[in-house]
Amino acid sequence: MRHGKKINHLGRKTAHRKAMLANMACSLIEHKRINTTVAKAKALKQFVEPIITKSKEDTTHNRRIAFSRLRQKEAVTELFRDVATKIGDRPGGYTRIIKLGNRAGDNADMAMIELVDYNEIYNADSAKKKTTRRSRRGGSKPAAAAPVETKASNEEE
């Protein structure tokens, strides 16, 4: 039975696992996306999202909590300065895991984990959809009025 065995140990001892997740979280904060295995990406998501939530409120206590988990001063600085301002209004779900297929060497399931607000491709698509919806609803009346004015101006000439 696996009662109470919620954490994935990733084949490592506790200290090694915590150090690896801290390094991966710092790389994610620095580069905004990293490639890793699916199991490590899921473990990293559980590790980094509470830290990002803490970074929304810039207090000394929250900075110390983040530093105790990340262990790199530069990563904590970038997290509280850049990342927190960009994700300030998001209520959760700061990371996205995209499966990439299997690795050639050992056939391991690979994935890309990224910070959601830093992907311009996905954000551009959602912005286009929103503008399209708005133009359909409110744009019908001004669009109809605009050709009438151009026709009237063309007839006068």
Side-chain angles (χ1 to χ4, degrees), residues 62-102:
N62 286 345
R63 280 184 179 265
R64 286 178 177 164
I65 289 173
F67 182 74
S68 70
R69 304 241 170 88
L70 294 178
R71 306 176 189 174
Q72 285 186 17
K73 186 189 253 185
E74 296 81 16
V76 173
T77 304
E78 186 167 351
L79 174 67
F80 277 85
R81 183 182 302 143
D82 301 331
V83 178
T85 57
K86 194 140 186 178
I87 55 100
D89 56 343
R90 183 176 289 273
Y94 311 113
T95 57
R96 176 188 294 126
I97 296 175
I98 300 171
K99 294 185 179 178
L100 300 175
N102 294 345

Side-chain angles (χ1 to χ4, degrees), residues 124-137:
D125 290 343
S126 63
K128 287 180 184 175
K129 288 180 183 176
K130 288 180 182 176
T131 56
T132 305
R133 286 183 193 152
R134 288 181 186 153
S135 64
R136 281 188 209 149
R137 288 184 195 149

Side-chain angles (χ1 to χ4, degrees), residues 21-117:
L21 288 173
N23 287 334
M24 289 173 64
C26 292
S27 296
L28 179 64
I29 291 167
E30 180 184 352
H31 300 293
K32 311 305 184 248
R33 79 175 52 149
I34 56 173
N35 291 341
T36 184
T37 62
V38 173
K40 287 181 188 175
K42 289 179 180 179
L44 179 61
K45 184 172 189 162
Q46 289 179 345
F47 180 83
V48 79
E49 291 216 359
I51 300 171
I52 295 174
T53 302
K54 294 274 187 197
S55 73
K56 286 182 176 183
E57 187 178 350
D58 191 2
T59 62
T60 305
H61 181 63
N62 286 345
R63 280 184 179 265
R64 286 178 177 164
I65 289 173
F67 182 74
S68 70
R69 304 241 170 88
L70 294 178
R71 306 176 189 174
Q72 285 186 17
K73 186 189 253 185
E74 296 81 16
V76 173
T77 304
E78 186 167 351
L79 174 67
F80 277 85
R81 183 182 302 143
D82 301 331
V83 178
T85 57
K86 194 140 186 178
I87 55 100
D89 56 343
R90 183 176 289 273
Y94 311 113
T95 57
R96 176 188 294 126
I97 296 175
I98 300 171
K99 294 185 179 178
L100 300 175
N102 294 345
R103 186 162 50 197
D106 59 354
N107 207 32
D109 287 334
M110 297 299 289
M112 176 178 66
I113 182 168
E114 64 183 1
L115 295 175
V116 172
D117 291 324

